[in-house]
Amino acid sequence: MHSETPNETHYHYGLIGRAIAYIDSAVEAQPNLDDVARAVGLSPAHFQRLFSQWVGVSPKRYQQYLTLGHARSLLANRFSVLETTLSTGLSSPGRLHDLFVRWEAMSPGEYAAGGAGLHINWGWFDSPFGPLLAMGTARGICGLAFGAEIGAAAAEADLRARWPRAAFHHNPDALHAWVAAALGQSGACNLIMIGSPLQIKVWEALLAIPSGHVTSYSEIARAIGSPRAARAVGTAVGRNPVSWLIPCHRALRKSGELGGYHWGLPVKRALLAWESARLEAR
């Protein structure tokens, strides 16, 4: 992430988010640079420079990643085989993922207690993929949700239901540094996960998928030693409470279809396109 003032960062995340949403909504019509720049209220030259700086590629190139055939291309060219990765211990509790994410699982007792005794801070933030709801304890982020497709109220209710006995406090300042690290893909971001043993295994497998790559639900099932449990794996993928950082959007059907996404398929397409663009720009 380039150096900006906090106000500039806030503004640019919102602006790039609007640009991505516009490109996605009009992807079949293939809007040109002037169309997208006009939609966000900038000159074409200024918008091209800003978009390329944030996403890594031009708006025109980004459009190619939003097409429906992009998922099939990812499966053909950037498929991750997870069994070897997991068996060599490259993904395990405490591992640094993409250099900035450190995670741990809540204890079985905390899981069974439904969050009793936990104090969870929450707040809404701008992101390139629409409004982002973050929740976290003093130990790290425990929930990230996108509200663009399902709405703010539904996103809040969904995450709160994961910890029905916890105490919730509206305190975005307590989460700001972690969210900034997550959005900027730099710094330090701690995650604290709560889930069943199967869910934790599935989420651990998701953490092993590199950015810009994908895998399949059946590959995850095989990697965690339950090759016939693809349906249960799909459910566990969908129950991941920390979107993006635990990348459930990188799990696709073997057919090349996107499959489901808890926070809305347009968001999943935007996430995959963003990561492909960033990988190409490296």
Side-chain angles (χ1 to χ4, degrees), residues 52-228:
S52 297
Q53 189 173 29
W54 275 100
V55 182
V57 298
S58 69
K60 183 174 180 61
R61 181 64 172 156
Y62 184 80
Q63 283 177 284
Q64 299 174 17
Y65 296 127
L66 284 170
T67 62
L68 294 177
H70 180 52
R72 292 185 177 87
S73 175
L74 284 172
L75 280 174
N77 301 308
R78 295 182 186 166
F79 183 82
S80 288
V81 178
L82 300 178
E83 191 170 36
T84 302
T85 302
L86 294 176
S87 66
T88 55
L90 294 180
S91 181
S92 60
R95 165 182 181 261
L96 285 176
H97 174 69
D98 288 345
L99 305 181
F100 77 99
V101 174
R102 182 178 296 277
W103 75 283
E104 64 174 293
M106 291 186 182
S107 70
E110 288 175 309
Y111 174 69
L118 285 179
H119 290 269
I120 297 178
N121 298 307
W122 67 275
W124 283 94
F125 299 83
D126 287 331
S127 87
F129 316 105
L132 176 70
L133 173 63
M135 293 188 176
T137 73
R139 292 155 63 187
I141 288 177
C142 61
L144 287 178
F146 292 107
E149 295 298 316
I150 71 170
E156 288 183 26
D158 187 298
L159 286 190
R160 284 175 180 264
R162 315 291 181 110
W163 310 278
R165 301 179 65 190
F168 292 88
H169 312 276
H170 181 246
N171 186 8
D173 289 346
L175 305 169
H176 184 269
W178 287 328
V179 173
L183 293 175
Q185 304 281 285
S186 63
C189 186
N190 296 339
L191 302 184
I192 177 72
M193 304 301 300
I194 184 170
S196 68
L198 174 65
Q199 288 172 335
I200 294 295
K201 282 185 179 180
V202 170
W203 300 339
E204 181 182 2
L206 290 172
L207 279 169
I209 308 168
S211 180
H213 294 69
V214 296
T215 196
S216 65
Y217 298 105
S218 56
E219 170 65 18
I220 294 173
R222 189 173 65 84
I224 66 172
S226 303
R228 297 183 180 179

